[in-house]
Amino acid sequence: MPEEFKWRFDIFHVLSGIHSYRFEPSKTTPGSTRFVNSEEFLRLSNVLMRLMPVEKMFCQFSEQFKARVESVKESALMSEGAALFDFGRES
């Protein structure tokens, strides 16, 4: 499984940066995963992003992403359990 997704964006060679999502083993919750969302701003983006609430946007995205992943994981576990214990089905 990949541990990092990383890409560079450029808009007219003026706004650019390197964005990455990294997945690491959690040091605080064994068996869990830590999600790291990072951005390195380049050129004019570096100046513009200092004027915007970028850290707040990253935190909001990360919280929403965590909630979505956990809901999908729980849904998958419930579906798996339903398939294992579905005695009303006929073949």
Side-chain angles (χ1 to χ4, degrees):
M1 174 179 265
E3 295 175 357
E4 182 177 37
F5 298 105
K6 188 180 220 178
W7 65 94
R8 180 181 173 135
F9 70 90
D10 281 295
I11 301 174
F12 305 114
H13 298 288
V14 177
L15 300 175
S16 60
I18 300 170
H19 194 92
S20 69
Y21 295 144
R22 202 168 61 248
F23 303 92
E24 305 172 343
S26 174
K27 294 177 183 174
T28 57
T29 309
S32 292
T33 301
R34 179 174 181 244
F35 173 71
V36 180
N37 181 8
S38 66
E39 183 89 41
E40 178 184 350
F41 298 107
L42 307 170
R43 299 188 177 111
L44 186 58
S45 296
N46 198 12
V47 175
L48 292 176
M49 292 304 129
R50 291 180 193 192
L51 303 174
M52 297 176 64
V54 175
E55 187 172 341
K56 181 179 178 182
M57 292 187 301
F58 277 143
C59 287
Q60 287 175 336
F61 171 81
S62 295
E63 288 169 6
Q64 293 170 355
F65 184 70
K66 180 180 188 291
R68 176 67 178 142
V69 168
E70 288 175 348
S71 73
V72 169
K73 179 181 174 185
E74 186 170 315
S75 175
L77 289 173
M78 290 174 66
S79 295
E80 184 178 298
L84 290 174
F85 301 107
D86 188 6
F87 297 111
R89 249 185 173 171
E90 292 184 30
S91 300

